[in-house]
Amino acid sequence: MRFGCMSAACMVMVLMPALALGAKAAAGPAATQPSVEQWGVFDQSFPGPATGNPFVDIELSARFTLGNQTVTAGGFYDGQGQYRIRFMPGGQGQWNYVTQSNCDQLSGLTGSFRCVAATGQNHGPVRVQHVHHFAYADGKPFVPIGTTCYSWVQQPDEIEERTLASLRASPFDKVRMCLLPGKQPPLFYPYAKDDAGKFDPSRFNPDFFHHLENRIEQLGRQGVEADLILFHPYHKGEMQWFDEMDDAGDDRYLRYVVARLSPYRNVWWSLANEYGQVKNKTDADWDHFFQVVESADPYGHLRSIHNAARIYDSNKPWVTHASIQNGSAVADFGRAVLYRELWPKPVVYDEVCYEGNIDRRWGHLSGREMVERFWFGTIAGTYVGHGETFSNPQKISWTSEGGELMGQSPPRLAFLRKILESGPPEGIEPIDETYQTHVGGKAGEYYLVYFGTEQPTTWKFALPRDPPNKNALTEGMQFHVDVLDTWNMTITPIERVFTTDKLVESVFPAVDDPAIPLPGRPDIALRIERIK
Amino acid sequence: MRFGCMSAACMVMVLMPALALGAKAAAGPAATQPSVEQWGVFDQSFPGPATGNPFVDIELSARFTLGNQTVTAGGFYDGQGQYRIRFMPGGQGQWNYVTQSNCDQLSGLTGSFRCVAATGQNHGPVRVQHVHHFAYADGKPFVPIGTTCYSWVQQPDEIEERTLASLRASPFDKVRMCLLPGKQPPLFYPYAKDDAGKFDPSRFNPDFFHHLENRIEQLGRQGVEADLILFHPYHKGEMQWFDEMDDAGDDRYLRYVVARLSPYRNVWWSLANEYGQVKNKTDADWDHFFQVVESADPYGHLRSIHNAARIYDSNKPWVTHASIQNGSAVADFGRAVLYRELWPKPVVYDEVCYEGNIDRRWGHLSGREMVERFWFGTIAGTYVGHGETFSNPQKISWTSEGGELMGQSPPRLAFLRKILESGPPEGIEPIDETYQTHVGGKAGEYYLVYFGTEQPTTWKFALPRDPPNKNALTEGMQFHVDVLDTWNMTITPIERVFTTDKLVESVFPAVDDPAIPLPGRPDIALRIERIK
C-alpha cells in the first residue's frame, strides 16, 4: 500500500520524471556532514509530503552499507514536511545508504558518510558481557550505578538543567526515565492534539521528541545511560488513553520511538514500569512489544521490563537482563543471589525503595540502608538502583522530577563505584553462595567480604573455595587485604601478606591463622586481592 | 511395524482364526476382580509371546471407557510370557476396556470392572490446588512434609521394613526415592543382563519392578507419596551406562516406568536429582523427557526436576511445581518467597541440607536448624523437605539407605504438620512479603508470625495488610493468639481478645495497643486466628 503517494505533496514529486527514476542524491546536508564517530549519530533530513497524516501514511527506512555489512534503519516524520533518517554506525569506514519508502519522493535517495574512530567518553552502547555483567561495545566494563528520575524530561528547563548538573556530580551512570507523562501534566506531550483539542494517538508531537533527544544526548555526553521506560500505569485524566491505545496505536508508538531514539548509543529499553499494573495488557502483549522493539532496533539495545504484581519471565529470549523491583531482595544476605541463579543474564534490582523522609514506607530509607542494599546486591553478583524521595519546599523529588540530590548515599555509592571499577573487569561473582553469603569476587584473584550491620572487631582470614572453579584458589597463594569502611569511605591496608594454607573443608585459612582487626562498626567490608 | 507378530509365539495366535477376529474376552482373572476403588489399581495380565525381545517388539495399550470418558493406559511386558495392563480409574461406575497391540494375540481383548468409592485413607492422587499448594483429588488439602531416602528400595528386606516402620512413626508424607541404582551396587537392578553378563538397556528386570511396586503400594497405604526420581548422575562402574543410554533407550525406560507405575495414585515424577550434573543431557533432553512422561501418563501425576549446577525453568508448561535444592533459601527470613513470586506454581525446597553429624558441610545441620528451615519455608508460602545423615555403626544413613530416623527434627515437624493441617485449607500465603518477612497466613483470617532465632520477650500486636487483598483485614475484627514453641512443641493461648484498631500505614494494631509476653527463647511463633 502506498498511501503516502496519494497525498497532494507527493503527487507533485511523482510527476517529476528526473527524480522518479530510482537513485537520487540526497539533499545538501549529507555533503556537509563530513564524518560521524563510530557509535555516533548520522542524521539526515529529507523534504516530503506534509499533508494527510504522514505519521501513518508514509513508510520510510534506509539501508546502510559498509563493505559486506548492511543495516536497515527506520526513518520517521519529524513534522513540517521534514522526514529524517538516523543511524548509529557500528564500524569505521565509508557508509553508503539508500532510502526505501512508499512515497516516491522519499524512495531511492542515496548518500554516504565516513565513520571515524570514537573519541573521548564514547565507548559505544552497553552490552551484556560475562553472562551477568555489562560492558560497552569497545570492551570497557560498565558498572551500573543507576538511579531513577521518572519525569525529569517533562520539567521546566531550569529544573532539567539542575538535574543534569546533579547527575554530573553524582556516581550515577544510568537513569530510568519515562517517555509518557505521569500523574502530573507535563510541559510537552508526545502526541499532538486534533482540531477538537483532544490528543490524537495517530499524530506524534515532534517538539516533544526534539526536547527528549537533546536530553538523551546530554546524558550521553555525561556518561549516563538513558534507561527509557516505554509504558507505565500512571496515566490520569486526559492522559488516561496512553494506557489504552489499540494494538495498532501501541505498535506505532513503539516503532516511532525506536526509529527516533535507537541511534543514541546510551539508550536502553525498559518496556514498562510496574508492567503488571498496566491495565488491558496481557503477558502476550508484553511478549509482542518486546518483539516489536527487538525487530525495529537494528542495534540491539538492552531490553528489560520492570515488575509489580507479577514478575515477567526473564528466560524469554528477548529479555537481555532482569530489571527487578524488590527492596527486600537486597535488604539482607543471601537473597539477591537467588534470582541471579535462575537466569544466565544480568540481574539489576532497579527499584529497592528510596532514600528519603516521606510518609510512605517505600520512601524513607536511610542513606545507610540504601548503601547497604547496593553492597548486598554487589556481593551477590547483581546490580542495584538508587532513588530518592525527600520532602522539600520546592515540592519536587529526585525520583519523580529530578532537581538536586539531597541524600547521604550518593558519595558512598561513588566510593562503591570506584571500588568496582578498579576490581576485576569480569565483574563480581558470588563465591560459594549457598554457604558463604558474605563473599563475592573473582575466584582465586579478588574477594569482597561484606559485614552489613554486623560489627565484628576481628576477622580470621579464610577464603571459600568456589565450587564451580575448584582449582582457582589453592594453597600457597598470597593476598593483600584492605579494610573498607563503606560509609566513611576509607580504605585501610593491612600491612602483612596472607598466604593461603591447606584447605579445611571448603575454606582456605591463611598460614599462622591470622586475625584481622576490624573497627567494630557496621558497614565494613574487606577487599582481598591476590598479589602472588 | 508389527515386529511382535513375527515372533514364534505370536504366529501361533495369528493362525487361530476365531481369536483373530477383533474383540476377545480377556482371560479369567478379569472376571474374578469384582471391583476396584476409585484411584485404586486395576491390574490384568495376559499371556503373550516370550520370544524375541518383547520389551522392544511388542506394543500394548488399552482404552478404558466410563460413559463418555475414555482413557488410554500403556501396557507392558512383565516377563515369562506375561503382559500386563494397569489402570487407575478416576471415576466410579462400570469401566470397559479393549486392548490395542501390534501383536494380534494381545489386540482387541476386552473386559470390564466396577469402580467403587474410595475408602479409608484413599483420597486419590495429589494435585496442585490454590496455585501454590496441593490437595488430593477428593479435595482434602495435602501438606507436604517430605523427606529423602534415595536408595531405600534397593536394600535388604530387613532394612526396608525398618524404613517403612520409621516412616509410619514419622510426620513424613512424601519420600524422594531413586529408581536407578546409585554408587553402591543394589540388590536388584532395573535391567537384565545379556548372555555375556552385561546389562542390556533393551531388557528390563520385572523382579526389580515387582519389588518396587510393592514398596510404592506400601507407602501409599501409609499415606506417603512416592516422589520417584527417574534419572540421577550418581552411576558408577558397571552402572555408568544408565547415564549414557541413547535417545531410544531413555524414552523406552521412561515409557516402561510410566506404564508400570503411573497407576499408583501416590506416585510423583521427579525427572532427575541434580539434573545439571547428569552428563550428556541437555536442557532440550530434559524438555523432551518431561514431555514423554506427560504424554505417557494418563493421570497427570505431579512433575518436577531437582537442580544442581543450573536451575530448570519452572515456567515451562510441563512443570507442575518447582523442586529446589537450596538450603540457603530457607535459612533466613525473606529468601524462600523470592522464588515463589516468580512462578504460579508450588515451590518445594526439596533439599535444604541434612540433619546429622557427618563431616560434610551439607550433612550436619542441627535438628533446630532443620526445623527452622521448615518454618522459614512455611511462612513464605512454600514447602520444605527433610533429610538426615547421622554416622552410625550400621553405616547406613536415612537419606541414602533408610533405616531409622535418629534426628531431633521429626517430632517438631509433626508439630508443624499438625499446625498446618488445622490451618486454612487454602494453605499459608505470604502476607506483605516485601515488608513483613516474618508473617504468613490467610489475609484477614489466620496468621503465623515466626521469630526464628530471635528471642523477643514481648510482641506488640500488629497485623500487616496484604497489598493484593486490601480489604481482607479491617478495623474491628477480633482475633485469638496462641504462642507456639516450635521446638518444645507447646501451644500457649493468650487469654484475651485482640480487636484490630485503625490502620497505621500498612499495619493494623489492636485496640489499647496490647503487648503479648513471649518467653525470650528462640523458635517461637504466634498463631493468630480470627474469632469474629
Side-chain angles (χ1 to χ4, degrees), chain A residues 307 310-315 324 326-329 332-339 341-343 349 353 359-364 432-437 465 467 505-507, chain B residues 307 310-315 324 326-329 332-339 341-343 349 353 359-364 432-437 465 467 505-507:
Chain A
N307 63 287
R310 60 191 195 271
I311 299 185
Y312 191 84
D313 181 1
S314 286
N315 277 308
I324 301 291
N326 191 323
S328 178
D332 207 341
F333 294 103
R335 298 180 185 178
V337 77
L338 293 174
Y339 282 161
E341 287 181 8
L342 291 182
W343 307 307
Y349 292 97
C353 300
D359 190 23
R360 303 297 292 270
R361 60 184 185 166
W362 44 259
H364 48 224
D432 197 14
E433 60 271 24
T434 315
Y435 293 90
Q436 301 277 348
T437 57
R465 189 159 71 164
E505 194 169 13
S506 298
V507 167
Chain B
N307 64 287
R310 61 189 193 275
I311 299 184
Y312 191 84
D313 181 0
S314 286
N315 276 308
I324 301 291
N326 191 324
S328 179
D332 207 342
F333 294 103
R335 298 180 186 178
V337 77
L338 293 173
Y339 282 162
E341 288 180 8
L342 292 181
W343 307 307
Y349 293 97
C353 301
D359 189 24
R360 302 297 291 271
R361 60 183 185 165
W362 44 260
H364 49 224
D432 196 14
E433 60 270 25
T434 315
Y435 292 91
Q436 300 277 350
T437 57
R465 190 161 70 164
E505 196 169 11
S506 299
V507 167

Side-chain angles (χ1 to χ4, degrees), chain B residues 117-157:
Chain B
T119 61
Q121 293 307 302
N122 174 5
H123 300 284
V126 172
R127 311 294 191 204
V128 170
Q129 184 157 293
H130 302 305
V131 185
H132 292 287
H133 303 283
F134 300 97
Y136 293 99
D138 72 354
K140 179 179 150 76
F142 174 73
V143 176
I145 302 284
T147 188
T148 292
C149 304
Y150 285 124
S151 302
W152 85 270
V153 285
Q154 291 147 10
Q155 307 302 320
D157 259 353

Side-chain angles (χ1 to χ4, degrees), chain B residues 292-314:
Chain B
V292 168
V293 170
E294 184 181 34
S295 70
D297 170 8
Y299 316 109
H301 288 294
L302 294 165
R303 292 176 300 272
S304 70
I305 189 166
H306 169 268
N307 64 287
R310 61 189 193 275
I311 299 184
Y312 191 84
D313 181 0
S314 286

Side-chain angles (χ1 to χ4, degrees), chain A residues 242-529:
Chain A
F242 292 152
D243 249 12
E244 297 165 356
M245 288 188 286
D246 61 13
D247 290 353
D250 286 331
D251 288 10
R252 186 187 310 120
Y253 165 70
L254 291 174
R255 293 211 171 88
Y256 192 77
V257 165
V258 172
R260 291 200 72 117
L261 304 182
S262 65
Y264 297 94
R265 64 177 171 269
N266 59 320
V267 160
W268 300 24
W269 308 119
S270 176
L271 270 286
N273 211 63
E274 300 199 318
Y275 86 96
Q277 307 207 348
V278 180
K279 286 180 189 143
N280 308 320
K281 302 267 186 268
T282 65
D283 277 3
D285 289 326
W286 296 111
D287 292 352
H288 171 74
F289 296 157
F290 263 110
Q291 291 170 75
V292 168
V293 170
E294 184 180 35
S295 70
D297 170 7
Y299 317 109
H301 289 293
L302 295 165
R303 292 176 300 273
S304 70
I305 189 166
H306 169 268
N307 63 287
R310 60 191 195 271
I311 299 185
Y312 191 84
D313 181 1
S314 286
N315 277 308
K316 292 186 176 175
W318 40 78
V319 178
T320 58
H321 63 286
S323 169
I324 301 291
Q325 170 166 248
N326 191 323
S328 178
V330 287
D332 207 341
F333 294 103
R335 298 180 185 178
V337 77
L338 293 174
Y339 282 161
R340 194 193 119 116
E341 287 181 8
L342 291 182
W343 307 307
K345 301 180 182 181
V347 176
V348 185
Y349 292 97
D350 263 317
E351 301 272 324
V352 299
C353 300
Y354 307 126
E355 181 178 358
N357 62 1
I358 64 170
D359 190 23
R360 303 297 292 270
R361 60 184 185 166
W362 44 259
H364 48 224
L365 284 188
S366 69
R368 215 164 213 152
E369 285 171 301
M370 177 59 78
V371 172
E372 189 181 48
R373 288 177 183 207
F374 270 78
W375 277 87
F376 281 132
T378 295
I379 58 165
T382 68
Y383 297 98
V384 179
H386 160 274
E388 193 182 89
T389 47
F390 282 97
S391 59
N392 60 73
Q394 299 185 303
K395 298 197 191 276
I396 66 170
S397 91
W398 175 259
T399 282
S400 295
E401 294 87 11
E404 269 91 36
L405 286 159
M406 300 175 191
Q408 295 186 291
S409 66
R412 282 80 186 185
L413 300 180
F415 178 78
L416 169 62
R417 181 173 163 181
K418 196 177 72 178
I419 297 291
L420 293 178
E421 289 183 342
S422 64
E426 300 89 347
I428 300 299
E429 297 282 306
I431 306 281
D432 197 14
E433 60 271 24
T434 315
Y435 293 90
Q436 301 277 348
T437 57
H438 289 46
V439 186
K442 180 187 174 189
E445 296 294 330
Y446 181 99
Y447 298 85
L448 292 173
V449 181
Y450 180 58
F451 299 104
T453 54
E454 296 171 18
Q455 306 184 80
T457 55
T458 184
W459 185 76
K460 281 261 189 170
F461 185 98
L463 293 179
R465 189 159 71 164
D466 186 17
N469 301 292
K470 283 199 177 170
N471 301 319
L473 180 65
T474 57
E475 190 185 344
M477 289 179 171
Q478 294 186 3
F479 289 88
H480 169 77
V481 177
D482 290 310
V483 178
L484 312 180
D485 185 323
T486 66
W487 184 253
N488 294 307
M489 299 172 280
T490 59
I491 301 176
T492 308
I494 300 293
E495 299 298 346
R496 68 163 282 175
V497 169
F498 297 84
T499 304
T500 46
D501 205 343
K502 283 193 197 341
L503 185 69
V504 179
E505 194 169 13
S506 298
V507 167
F508 287 93
V511 172
D512 302 334
D513 205 20
I516 294 167
L518 297 178
R521 287 193 302 273
D523 309 315
I524 301 302
L526 301 171
R527 179 171 65 182
I528 304 175
E529 291 175 285

Side-chain angles (χ1 to χ4, degrees), chain B residues 416-438:
Chain B
L416 169 62
R417 182 173 161 182
K418 196 177 71 176
I419 296 291
L420 294 178
E421 289 183 342
S422 62
E426 301 87 348
I428 300 299
E429 296 281 304
I431 305 280
D432 196 14
E433 60 270 25
T434 315
Y435 292 91
Q436 300 277 350
T437 57
H438 289 46

Side-chain angles (χ1 to χ4, degrees), chain A residues 433-437, chain B residues 144-146 324-337 347-356 360-387 409 412-413 416 420 437 450-453 486-487 523:
Chain A
E433 60 271 24
T434 315
Y435 293 90
Q436 301 277 348
T437 57
Chain B
I145 302 284
I324 301 291
Q325 170 166 244
N326 191 324
S328 179
V330 287
D332 207 342
F333 294 103
R335 298 180 186 178
V337 77
V347 176
V348 185
Y349 293 97
D350 263 317
E351 300 272 323
V352 299
C353 301
Y354 307 126
E355 181 179 359
R360 302 297 291 271
R361 60 183 185 165
W362 44 260
H364 49 224
L365 284 188
S366 68
R368 214 163 211 154
E369 285 172 301
M370 177 59 78
V371 173
E372 189 181 48
R373 287 177 184 207
F374 270 77
W375 276 87
F376 281 133
T378 295
I379 57 164
T382 66
Y383 297 98
V384 179
H386 160 274
S409 66
R412 281 82 186 183
L413 301 180
L416 169 62
L420 294 178
T437 57
Y450 180 60
F451 299 104
T453 55
T486 66
W487 185 254
D523 309 316

